[in-house]
Amino acid sequence: MDKPEGKYAWTVTVGTKGQIVLPKEARDLFDINPGDSLIILGDKERGMAIPPKNEFSKFFEKVFKN
């Protein structure tokens, strides 16, 4: 099965302190660098999301508007 272009999936392991390591490919793709702050959005029914840092304002508006 071919992977759809522009779509990615990675697995991460949660450490004992609740920390995860973002895969290098993901960090490179989304220009995530040491010291960057990320937002994690959560919805009990739909799950968690980490929006791209340059798109956060759009996600914030959509998530908290309803």
Side-chain angles (χ1 to χ4, degrees):
M1 179 167 124
D2 291 330
K3 174 182 74 112
E5 188 172 334
K7 305 293 182 186
Y8 303 87
W10 298 282
T11 60
V12 298
T13 301
V14 179
T16 58
K17 294 182 180 182
Q19 299 169 320
I20 62 171
V21 175
L22 299 175
K24 180 172 181 0
E25 184 180 20
R27 295 190 314 263
D28 291 345
L29 181 68
F30 294 106
D31 191 30
I32 298 170
N33 300 294
D36 283 354
S37 293
L38 302 176
I39 300 295
I40 298 177
L41 303 176
D43 180 298
K44 193 171 184 177
E45 294 178 15
R46 296 175 63 192
M48 294 175 25
I50 305 173
K53 59 187 178 180
N54 61 345
E55 296 287 325
F56 176 70
S57 60
K58 294 176 193 175
F59 281 95
F60 182 80
E61 189 174 308
K62 287 179 184 178
V63 169
F64 293 105
K65 193 173 189 178
N66 295 328

